[in-house]
Amino acid sequence: MRLSVIGCGYVGLVTGACLAEAGHEVVCTDIDRERIAKLNAGGVPIYEHHLDQILASAHQAGKISYTADAGEAIRAGDAIFICVGTPPKDSGEADLSAIDNVARQIAAEAKSAKLVVEKSTVPARTGLELSRALAAYSKKSNVKFRVASNPEFLREGTAVADFFHPDRIVVGVEDPSSAAELREIYRPILERSFRCPVHNGTCPPGRKAEFLVTTINSAELIKHASNSFLALKISYANVIADLCEKIGANVEEVTHAMGLDARIGGQFLKAGLGYGGFCFPKDVQAFIHLSASVGVDFDILKATERVNKQRIDRFFEKIRQALWVVKGKRVAVLGLAFKANTDDIRFAPALEVVKRLLEEGAVVHATDPEGMPRSKALFPQVHYHDDAYRALQDADAALVCTEWDVFRKLDWDRAGKLMARKLVIDGRNLYMPQGMREKGFEYYSFGRD
Ligand code: UDX
C-alpha cells in the first residue's frame, strides 16, 4: 500500500521504516528540513537498534522516500500516519498544536479520500477533534477523510523489534472499512510474512500479535492507561525499596517473588532513580490532566508522579550521607540517557542529578555511550569522557544513573585503583552489594543492604 508518515521523530521514523520493510511504499515528511536532507543523504538522525539497516534496505528497494514538501507526502499515501510531537504544556496538558497544524495541512493538500491515522500519543477525544478539523478545512475541496487511532507501544532502544513483534495492535476506528485497511497495512506483521530484520530474516516461533478493533476514544485511552499503569508499577516498586531500606529487607527478593505471580508479572518492578524519557513523565501528566478535565480525580497517578520526583531527593540523601560535603568534590556520573540503549536524554533522571550536582558546586565528569552529544549542549560545564575509566579517574564518588551494559561490566578493581575514594552510589542497582564491598568499595544502592 502507499502510505504517508508525517513527522520523522522516533515514532515516525521507526513506523515509516518498518512499514517500508514490511513491503509498503512509504513517503515521509517533516518540518525539519535538515532532518529530511540528512535522511535523503543516507543519514539516520536518531540512534535506534536496527534502524540504520532497515532504512538502508528500504531505500535501496525504493520503498521509502523523504520530502520536505508536506503536500507531496500527503498526496502520495492512501493512509496518512500522524507521528508529530505532543509535548507537555506547563500545566501538564498535552500540547496538540502540531496535530492541529497537520490536520489543516492534510485538509488543504489532499486531492483524494484518505484514512488519517493518529499514532502520536494523544488524550482521549482527540480523534473527534481531528475529524472535525479535517471536515471544517476541506469544505472547498470536498475531499472525504476517515480518522483512526493506532497507538504505538514502542520502547526506545527496542522500537524496531517491538514494531515487528508487538503484543497487540490496537486500531480505534469509526467504520469497518478503516479497520480492514489497517488490518491490510499490518498483515505482514500479523502473519509474520516479512523478512525479520531483528532475527536475521526469520522470526522465532512465538505468540502472534492480537489485532484489536475498538472505538477511537478507547484506543486513545488504551495508550495512556497502559503507560500510566507501567509508571505506577515502577513507583510502587520504588516505595517498596524505601520500605526495604527501613525494615532491612531486599527489594530484589521482594519484587522477584511478586513478579512470579502471573497476575502481577515481573516487568517494570525495577527500583532505582525512577522513570524518565519522553513518554512516561508526559503521559502520566496528560492522563492526570485529562481525568481532572472530566471531573475524575486520578489520585494514584498523582502519587505515582510524586514518588518518581522524590527518587532524585532520595538519591541525593544517599550522596550527602556518603560524601558529606558535595561542593568541590569530583564526581563521576555514569550514564546520561534516560535508559540504556538510547541516545535520548529527555526527562532523564540522570540530567536532574547532574543539574543538582552542579548547583551544589561539584566538579562533574560524565560518560554515556550515546547520550553525550545531546548533554553537551545542555551542560557545557560538565567534563565529558568517551571512556568510563577516564571519567572515574581521581573521582571522589561514582554515581550510576543509567543501566548501560558497559557499566554493568566495568572492571571495578581497575576503577578502584583510579578513583580518589572507592565510593559507588548506584541509582540502578547494577551490582551486588556484597561483591562491591569485598572489592573494598563503600557501596549504596536502592532497597538493599
Ligand atoms: C515507554 C513504553 O514502554 C512504550 O510502550 C511507549 O510506547 C513509550 O513509553 P520508553 O519510554 O521507551 O517506552 O521506555 P521504557 O523501557 O518503558 O522505560 C521507561 C522508563 O522507566 C525508563 O526511564 C526506565 O529506566 C524506567 N524503568 C523501567 C524503571 O525505572 N524501572 C523498571 O522496572 C522499568
Coordinates of all heavy atoms in Angstrom, one line a residue, residues 373-404:
P373 N 26.5 13.7 23.2 CA 26.4 14.9 22.3 C 25.2 15.8 22.7 O 25.3 17.0 22.7 CB 26.1 14.2 20.9 CG 26.8 12.9 21.0 CD 26.6 12.5 22.4
R374 N 24.1 15.2 23.0 CA 22.9 16.0 23.4 C 23.1 16.7 24.7 O 22.7 17.8 25.0 CB 21.7 15.1 23.4 CG 21.2 14.7 22.0 CD 20.1 13.7 22.1 NE 20.1 13.0 20.8 CZ 19.1 13.1 19.9 NH1 18.1 14.0 20.1 NH2 19.1 12.4 18.8
S375 N 23.8 16.0 25.7 CA 24.0 16.6 27.0 C 24.9 17.8 27.0 O 24.8 18.7 27.7 CB 24.6 15.6 28.0 OG 23.9 14.4 28.0
K376 N 25.9 17.7 26.0 CA 26.9 18.8 26.0 C 26.3 20.1 25.7 O 26.7 21.1 26.3 CB 27.9 18.5 24.8 CG 29.0 17.5 25.2 CD 29.9 17.2 24.1 CE 30.9 16.1 24.5 NZ 31.6 15.5 23.4
A377 N 25.2 20.1 24.9 CA 24.5 21.4 24.6 C 23.9 21.9 25.9 O 23.8 23.1 26.1 CB 23.5 21.1 23.5
L378 N 23.4 21.0 26.7 CA 22.6 21.5 27.9 C 23.6 21.8 29.1 O 23.3 22.8 29.8 CB 21.7 20.4 28.4 CG 20.5 20.1 27.6 CD1 19.7 18.9 28.2 CD2 19.6 21.3 27.5
F379 N 24.6 21.0 29.2 CA 25.6 21.2 30.4 C 27.0 21.3 29.9 O 27.8 20.4 30.0 CB 25.4 20.1 31.4 CG 24.1 20.0 32.0 CD1 23.2 18.9 31.7 CD2 23.6 20.9 32.9 CE1 22.0 18.8 32.3 CE2 22.4 20.8 33.5 CZ 21.6 19.8 33.2
P380 N 27.3 22.5 29.2 CA 28.7 22.6 28.7 C 29.8 22.5 29.8 O 31.0 22.3 29.5 CB 28.7 23.9 28.0 CG 27.5 24.7 28.5 CD 26.5 23.7 29.0
Q381 N 29.4 22.9 31.1 CA 30.4 22.9 32.1 C 30.8 21.5 32.7 O 31.7 21.4 33.5 CB 29.9 23.8 33.3 CG 28.6 23.4 34.0 CD 27.3 23.8 33.3 OE1 27.1 23.5 32.1 NE2 26.5 24.6 34.0
V382 N 30.1 20.5 32.2 CA 30.5 19.1 32.6 C 31.7 18.7 31.8 O 31.8 19.0 30.6 CB 29.2 18.2 32.4 CG1 29.6 16.7 32.5 CG2 28.1 18.5 33.4
H383 N 32.5 17.8 32.4 CA 33.7 17.3 31.6 C 33.2 15.9 31.1 O 32.8 15.1 31.9 CB 34.9 17.1 32.6 CG 35.3 18.3 33.3 ND1 36.2 19.2 32.8 CD2 34.8 18.8 34.5 CE1 36.3 20.2 33.7 NE2 35.5 20.0 34.7
Y384 N 33.2 15.8 29.8 CA 32.7 14.5 29.2 C 33.9 13.6 28.7 O 34.9 14.1 28.3 CB 31.9 14.9 27.9 CG 30.6 15.6 28.3 CD1 30.6 17.0 28.3 CD2 29.5 14.9 28.7 CE1 29.4 17.7 28.7 CE2 28.3 15.6 29.1 CZ 28.3 17.0 29.1 OH 27.2 17.7 29.4
H385 N 33.7 12.3 28.9 CA 34.7 11.3 28.6 C 34.1 10.2 27.8 O 33.0 9.7 28.2 CB 35.3 10.7 29.8 CG 35.9 11.8 30.7 ND1 37.2 12.2 30.7 CD2 35.3 12.5 31.8 CE1 37.4 13.1 31.6 NE2 36.3 13.3 32.3
D386 N 34.8 9.7 26.7 CA 34.3 8.6 25.9 C 34.5 7.3 26.7 O 33.8 6.3 26.6 CB 35.0 8.5 24.6 CG 34.6 9.6 23.7 OD1 33.4 10.0 23.8 OD2 35.4 10.0 22.8
D387 N 35.5 7.3 27.6 CA 35.9 6.1 28.3 C 35.5 6.3 29.8 O 35.8 7.3 30.5 CB 37.4 6.0 28.2 CG 38.0 4.8 28.9 OD1 37.4 3.7 28.8 OD2 38.9 5.0 29.7
A388 N 34.8 5.3 30.3 CA 34.3 5.3 31.7 C 35.4 5.5 32.7 O 35.3 6.2 33.7 CB 33.4 4.1 32.0
Y389 N 36.6 4.8 32.4 CA 37.7 4.8 33.4 C 38.3 6.2 33.4 O 38.8 6.6 34.5 CB 38.7 3.8 33.0 CG 38.2 2.3 33.0 CD1 37.8 1.7 31.9 CD2 38.0 1.7 34.2 CE1 37.2 0.4 31.9 CE2 37.4 0.4 34.3 CZ 37.0 -0.2 33.1 OH 36.5 -1.5 33.2
R390 N 38.2 6.9 32.3 CA 38.7 8.3 32.3 C 37.8 9.2 33.2 O 38.3 10.0 34.0 CB 38.7 8.9 30.9 CG 39.8 8.4 30.0 CD 40.9 9.5 29.8 NE 42.1 8.9 29.2 CZ 42.2 8.6 27.9 NH1 41.2 8.9 27.1 NH2 43.3 8.0 27.5
A391 N 36.5 8.9 33.1 CA 35.6 9.7 33.9 C 35.8 9.4 35.4 O 35.6 10.2 36.3 CB 34.1 9.3 33.5
L392 N 36.2 8.1 35.7 CA 36.4 7.7 37.1 C 37.7 8.1 37.7 O 37.9 8.1 38.9 CB 36.2 6.2 37.2 CG 34.8 5.7 37.0 CD1 34.8 4.2 36.6 CD2 34.0 5.9 38.3
Q393 N 38.6 8.6 36.9 CA 40.0 9.0 37.3 C 39.9 10.0 38.4 O 39.2 11.1 38.2 CB 40.8 9.5 36.1 CG 42.2 10.0 36.4 CD 43.1 8.8 36.4 OE1 43.1 7.9 35.5 NE2 44.0 8.8 37.4
D394 N 40.5 9.8 39.6 CA 40.5 10.8 40.7 C 39.1 11.1 41.2 O 39.0 12.1 42.0 CB 41.2 12.1 40.3 CG 42.7 11.8 39.9 OD1 43.3 10.9 40.5 OD2 43.2 12.4 38.9
A395 N 38.1 10.4 40.9 CA 36.8 10.7 41.4 C 36.6 10.4 42.9 O 37.1 9.4 43.4 CB 35.7 9.9 40.6
D396 N 35.9 11.3 43.6 CA 35.5 11.0 45.0 C 34.3 10.1 45.1 O 34.1 9.5 46.1 CB 35.2 12.4 45.7 CG 36.4 13.3 45.7 OD1 37.4 12.9 46.3 OD2 36.4 14.4 45.0
A397 N 33.6 10.0 44.0 CA 32.4 9.1 44.0 C 32.0 8.8 42.6 O 32.2 9.6 41.7 CB 31.2 9.8 44.7
A398 N 31.5 7.6 42.4 CA 30.9 7.2 41.1 C 29.4 7.1 41.3 O 28.9 6.5 42.3 CB 31.4 5.9 40.6
L399 N 28.6 7.8 40.5 CA 27.1 7.8 40.6 C 26.6 7.0 39.3 O 26.8 7.5 38.2 CB 26.5 9.2 40.6 CG 27.1 10.1 41.6 CD1 26.3 11.4 41.6 CD2 27.0 9.5 43.0
V400 N 26.0 5.9 39.5 CA 25.4 5.2 38.4 C 24.0 5.6 38.1 O 23.1 5.5 39.0 CB 25.4 3.6 38.6 CG1 24.9 2.9 37.4 CG2 26.8 3.2 39.0
C401 N 23.8 6.2 36.9 CA 22.5 6.8 36.6 C 21.7 6.1 35.5 O 20.5 6.3 35.3 CB 22.6 8.3 36.3 SG 23.2 9.2 37.7
T402 N 22.4 5.3 34.7 CA 21.7 4.6 33.5 C 22.3 3.2 33.5 O 23.5 3.0 33.7 CB 22.0 5.3 32.2 OG1 21.8 6.7 32.3 CG2 21.1 4.8 31.1
E403 N 21.4 2.3 33.2 CA 21.7 0.8 33.3 C 22.4 0.3 32.0 O 22.0 -0.8 31.6 CB 20.5 0.0 33.7 CG 19.3 0.0 32.7 CD 18.4 1.2 32.6 OE1 18.9 2.3 33.1 OE2 17.3 1.1 32.1
W404 N 23.3 1.0 31.5 CA 24.0 0.5 30.3 C 24.8 -0.8 30.6 O 25.4 -0.8 31.7 CB 25.0 1.6 29.7 CG 24.4 2.7 29.0 CD1 24.1 3.9 29.5 CD2 24.1 2.7 27.6 NE1 23.6 4.7 28.5 CE2 23.5 4.0 27.3 CE3 24.1 1.8 26.6 CZ2 23.1 4.4 26.1 CZ3 23.7 2.2 25.3 CH2 23.2 3.4 25.1

